[in-house]
Amino acid sequence: MEELRILILAAGKGTRMRSEKAKVLHTVCGVPLVMCVYNSAAKLPNQGLYVVVGEGIDEVKQVFSDREVFFIHQAKQLGTGHAVMTAAEQLRSHSGSLLVLNGDMPLVSTAILKRLADFHKEAAAAVTLLTARLENPYGYGRVVRTVTGEISKIVEERDASDLQRAILEINTGVYCFKIGTLFEALDKISTQNAQNEYYLTDVISVLTAMGQPVAGMVAPDPDEVLGVNTRYELATIEARVRASILKGLMESGVTIIDPAATYIDATVNIKSDTVIYPNCILEKSTRIGSHCTIHAASHLVNAQTADYVTVRESTVITDSTIGEYSTVGPFAHVREHTCIGSHCRVGNFVEIKKSVLGNDTKAAHLAYIGDAEIGEHVNIGAGTITCNYDGVHKNKTIIEDGVFIGSDSQLVAPVRIGKGAYVAAGSTITEDIPAFSLGIARGRQVVKEGWAQSRQKPNKPSIHSDPPAKPDK
Ligand code: UD1
Ligand code: CA
């Protein structure tokens, strides 16, 4: 089998994004542009996958931290041709073909890349271009052909004449090169163009001048080879990807009530017979079990739910897990590293952070639970606060099985409430409570009988005295 190596160009800044972040790091449904390209390319059998990095080098490398790729550092971004020249040292001596592709074309499929590689082998050309015919080719390099239909060169939008701009066939930014001739031709390109850059596309005219065969393959679906240069293009492409993610989920048995108002990353997994209401956002490694209901306007980031979980309206869950048959929300905030057991209830205006809730535990209304270990069958009354922070350290609250915390209590950490104990409503608990005891820590009530009447102002009618007599008619 002929050797194939793959080179992804990902060093550019992406000036048209107007961003501090390198363009290829911008995401489509949670996946960085360059990763979308990698995912399709890496499925081709190959002898090595190389990524040219430069702008945002550390972050781009980070994206590939658990993948096997070779990095090529393009310290100065002098154009796509220069990006490939930078790879000369690592690639020049190899035989076989090099598939070069831009790192900003997130919809490109493995199938089309494979077809191009196969076509290239058949054609025995020095280069095979993947081209496409677009209704609106604005911004792309145009493929210039001779009268007999042979490709003679690629002209960039900014260097093109009006006549050339009218050409609808564009360069997609995917090429299959014979490695030896590629680097020979690259030695001959210059920066004499509108952008003063080394254009990879100039290699085409150099190859034709060298008498080398240049082939082209037209992509049957022009949509999948679109590049992202602006945030508007990013949003347009993301909408397309989002629709296909939702379609896939629906086909696998998930009910999406309003696909136009639902935002689910490509990295999210949802089991069948789950219902997603409108305006929900599900991101990162969120995993939803089957028979769950995620009500409107909830935002789940890296949340894991078992089966039969209900997330009520306007709930935020981040980096946390929810056990089966539990209900969270409406208006709940489950923050990082929280583990909620099964059959739990976390109600409105409850915030939980770095805490464990055992099975059958309830915090139904208005509570802050931070750095707490809570056992099973615990009832957390309305208005309970774990005072976990003393201004310097975060301290733990431990609430053992079967505890009842009365409403409006503060548990000043570190503190332990023993198994089966009760905390009286309105208590400020500062000391441990032994198992099966009652902790009560609040001011005693004093009743002063008749007090209100005694402070009544003279001549002023009051609800505390008889109403004044009605005047005579
Ligand atoms: C490029 C092509 C154009 C084609 C279009 C398809 C050139 C000169 N033009 O234009 O013919 O129609 O793609 O989308 O190649 N990059 C580097 N180093 C650099 C410059 C760019 O690695 O010095 C990378 C970028 O990160 C990006 C890719 O190369 O992933 C393409 O660069 P971009 O500036 O987007 O090229 P276009 O102007 O879109
Ligand atoms: Ca581009």
Side-chain angles (χ1 to χ4, degrees), residues 9 11-12 16 23 74 77 79-80 102-104 140-141 156 171 229:
L9 309 184
R16 289 161 281 182
K23 175 171 69 180
Q74 186 193 17
Q77 289 75 53
T80 49
N102 288 352
D104 65 354
Y140 288 90
E156 292 306 299
N171 166 33
N229 293 320

Side-chain angles (χ1 to χ4, degrees), residues 240-257 259 264 269-274 276:
R240 204 186 296 253
V241 174
R242 187 183 305 131
S244 95
I245 292 169
L246 296 174
K247 185 160 177 270
L249 286 168
M250 290 185 270
E251 280 165 2
S252 73
V254 177
T255 296
I256 310 278
I257 293 188
I264 300 180
N269 200 296
I270 307 176
K271 296 222 176 105
S272 64
D273 285 319
T274 280
I276 313 284

Side-chain angles (χ1 to χ4, degrees), residues 315-322 326-329 331-341 344-358 361-374 378 380 384-386 388 397 399:
T315 290
V316 177
I317 306 176
T318 310
D319 298 323
S320 295
T321 61
I322 318 283
S326 289
T327 298
V328 180
F331 304 103
H333 189 186
V334 179
R335 291 168 51 198
E336 68 276 13
H337 311 310
T338 291
C339 180
I340 293 174
C344 287
R345 180 154 167 239
V346 172
N348 33 215
F349 308 108
V350 173
E351 176 181 349
I352 309 186
K353 185 214 77 168
K354 279 193 187 160
S355 295
V356 178
L357 266 67
T361 282
K362 292 175 179 54
H365 356 249
L366 301 162
Y368 172 65
I369 299 167
D371 305 299
E373 250 172 56
I374 303 176
V378 170
I380 308 277
T384 297
I385 292 171
T386 55
N388 60 325
T397 301
I399 302 175

